[in-house]
Amino acid sequence: MRDLDKDILYCLGYGNNLPDDRTKSLIEKVKTEALPKLKPRAVHGTFQKNMLNFSGKDIEEHLNGAEQCILFAVTLGAESERLFSIYQRTDMEKAVIFDAVCDAFVEAFADEYCDNLLKEYREKGLYINTRYSPGYGDFNIEYQKEFISLLNCQRSIGLTANDSSVLIPRKSITAVMGIFTSPPQGKTKGCAACNMNSTCKMKGKGKCLKHTDF
């Protein structure tokens, strides 16, 4: 279970340090103002692995042994973009904090969604592994567009990608998980193998490729 407050501080660059009282108060104010207005949405679908034309050593290893896969997408929606734009125009300090709040919130929402899928599949006697997103390892970020097409994301949750395969709204995640008949034996690659290594705000926290307890 994620600690949203700790993740927000981490996204703001505090690491294990604590902000001063003024900053803590401002973070709480932004959370109080913004979080009730954000309406996260999600969609997922189950596909035969041989229907997915994913290429790359890392994604092949991640899905090794799976015959089916879950593709899913989550987003904080257009309101997150609108609020960020307002903060940028009115208070840049709040804009920076809001950006971190959204980063932490969308990750927490994705984790919760995956946890519910895990429980659902365990009740069926099946297992799923950790989420793996375009942009991890050698899994090309251009696969974002395939996720969006297969899940009909634009219509179902208002999610698209631009020509550079950047998700719009930005505070969104797409990922794939393998479905297995026994606990999967795949290994986590971690931050060093990820091509988002230099920019990821969650680097070193083990939050994107953490092991799942089966």
Side-chain angles (χ1 to χ4, degrees), residues 110-194:
D111 271 6
E112 182 179 3
Y113 195 77
C114 290
D115 287 345
N116 289 334
L117 286 173
L118 174 65
K119 293 173 185 176
E120 177 184 331
Y121 277 84
R122 285 300 296 120
E123 289 174 358
K124 299 176 183 178
L126 297 170
Y127 301 82
I128 60 176
N129 63 354
T130 52
R131 55 185 169 102
Y132 203 96
S133 294
Y136 290 167
D138 62 2
F139 190 22
N140 199 308
I141 197 169
E142 291 183 0
Y143 283 114
Q144 301 277 35
K145 295 177 182 178
E146 187 166 348
F147 278 66
I148 286 169
S149 175
L150 288 169
L151 295 173
N152 197 16
C153 287
Q154 184 169 3
R155 182 174 181 179
S156 59
I157 61 173
L159 178 63
T160 62
N162 65 18
D163 291 341
S164 300
S165 299
V166 174
L167 295 175
I168 303 172
R170 295 174 303 112
K171 303 307 180 183
S172 306
I173 294 170
T174 63
V176 59
M177 296 179 289
I179 302 173
F180 304 84
T181 55
S182 60
Q185 302 300 313
K187 58 184 179 180
T188 297
K189 291 288 187 182
C191 297
C194 181

Side-chain angles (χ1 to χ4, degrees), residues 15-35:
N16 294 320
N17 299 314
L18 294 176
D20 57 37
D21 289 341
R22 177 185 171 279
T23 303
K24 285 193 289 187
S25 177
L26 195 56
I27 291 171
E28 287 304 314
K29 187 173 183 179
V30 171
K31 284 169 55 183
T32 300
E33 288 176 353
L35 285 180

Side-chain angles (χ1 to χ4, degrees), residues 49 54 59-66 69 129 176-178 180:
K49 189 173 74 171
F54 296 153
I59 189 61
E60 288 178 5
E61 181 177 321
H62 188 70
L63 299 178
N64 183 39
C69 300
N129 63 354
V176 59
M177 296 179 289
F180 304 84

